Amino acid sequence: MSTLLRSPRECASWTWDLEEFVPRGLESALTVAARMSAVLREHELLVPESLEWDWFVHGSGGTGLSTRMSLPGPIDDEEVPLRVARSRPVGFPDAQVGSILVVGSGTWTDSRGQKHGEHRLVELTVAPDAPGVWAELAVFHDIWGPFDFRGLRHPEVEERNAPRLAVALQSLEALLGVSAEPGDPTYFGSAEGHGVKAPDVIGGRGPDLTDLL
C-alpha cells in the first residue's frame, strides 16, 4: 500500500503549447505523448499503462462520457488511433476525442533511500485539437518540494526526488523545442522554474494542507 498522500488538485503543473510545432490531430497528439512518455520513463517517473479521455461534440460541448483503454504496446502504435475511433460512443457518431490522460506508475524515493512504485506519480495529458496540440505534466504529491503536506521540512525526500523531476522537465523542453509554462496555482502549490515553488514559511514551517486531503 502507498505511503504517499495525494492531493485532489495538482501541487504544480507545466504546459507546452505546441500549436506552432506539431500538426493538429489525434495521431500527432499520440506521437507527442509517446515521445514525452519515453523521457519520463527514462527518469522513472511514468511507465504508461492505459489512456483515458472524454468525448465532446463540436458546437454542443461534452457528452459526459469517457473511455479508458489499456496499452498492450507503444502509445504511437498505428493500431491505437483505430482502437480509439472504434470506441466512439454509438449515441454520438460525431463525437471527438478531448484531452488524453496517459495513466501509469512511477518510482519515488523515501528519506532512507528506498524506492517505491506509485500509481499516477505524475500525470501526462495531451490534447489533439484545442485549437492545436498542447501537453501538460502535473504532480500531486509533496515529495517534490521542501515541505510535506503537514508543513514539516523533509530535505532528504526533496533531495532524492525533486532533482529528477527538474532534469525530466529540462529534457522535455529540449525534446519539444519549447519552454514549459507554469500552470495556475492551486491550494496545494504551484510551479516555479523546473520545480515546486517554496511556500511562505512561518516559524520554520510551511502551510498545513491536510485539511483538504
Side-chain angles (χ1 to χ4, degrees):
M1 179 178 294
S2 172
T3 59
L4 286 183
L5 292 176
R6 179 184 174 90
S7 57
R9 292 288 308 280
E10 61 270 23
C11 299
S13 63
W14 296 263
T15 303
W16 291 264
D17 182 355
L18 304 175
E19 182 179 0
E20 298 181 3
F21 305 93
V22 178
R24 294 165 57 178
L26 178 61
E27 290 81 1
S28 292
L30 291 172
T31 298
V32 169
R35 296 174 65 197
M36 294 181 71
S37 295
V39 171
L40 296 172
R41 181 194 289 264
E42 180 181 347
H43 295 283
E44 298 184 287
L45 294 173
L46 176 64
V47 178
E49 300 165 2
S50 63
L51 302 178
E52 297 180 2
W53 64 91
D54 295 328
W55 295 94
F56 74 98
V57 177
H58 286 294
S60 60
T63 64
L65 301 173
S66 60
T67 300
R68 180 181 183 275
M69 183 179 74
S70 61
L71 284 170
I75 295 175
D76 56 352
D77 187 282
E78 61 182 12
E79 286 293 318
V80 173
L82 299 176
R83 293 177 62 199
V84 171
R86 288 196 293 266
S87 69
R88 180 177 286 107
V90 174
F92 297 91
D94 297 325
Q96 302 296 317
V97 175
S99 57
I100 303 168
L101 173 65
V102 181
V103 179
S105 298
T107 301
W108 68 283
T109 307
D110 64 23
S111 60
R112 297 172 296 176
Q114 291 186 313
K115 291 187 174 183
H116 306 270
E118 183 72 18
H119 186 57
R120 296 195 178 192
L121 181 69
V122 303
E123 290 194 353
L124 173 64
T125 304
V126 295
D129 184 15
V133 174
W134 59 262
E136 179 188 74
L137 185 72
V139 295
F140 296 79
H141 302 93
D142 59 11
I143 61 174
W144 315 108
F147 297 91
D148 65 18
F149 285 138
R150 296 170 296 170
L152 302 177
R153 290 188 182 274
H154 57 180
E156 298 88 355
V157 173
E158 181 189 17
E159 291 168 4
R160 288 185 167 99
N161 295 283
R164 185 161 48 102
L165 175 63
V167 172
L169 287 166
Q170 293 168 348
S171 298
L172 289 173
E173 290 181 334
L175 170 73
L176 299 172
V178 59
S179 297
E181 294 292 332
D184 293 334
T186 72
Y187 181 77
F188 300 96
S190 62
E192 183 176 65
H194 298 111
V196 175
K197 183 179 180 179
D200 294 334
V201 180
I202 300 176
R205 296 188 59 159
D208 185 344
L209 307 175
T210 56
D211 58 325
L212 292 186
L213 293 181

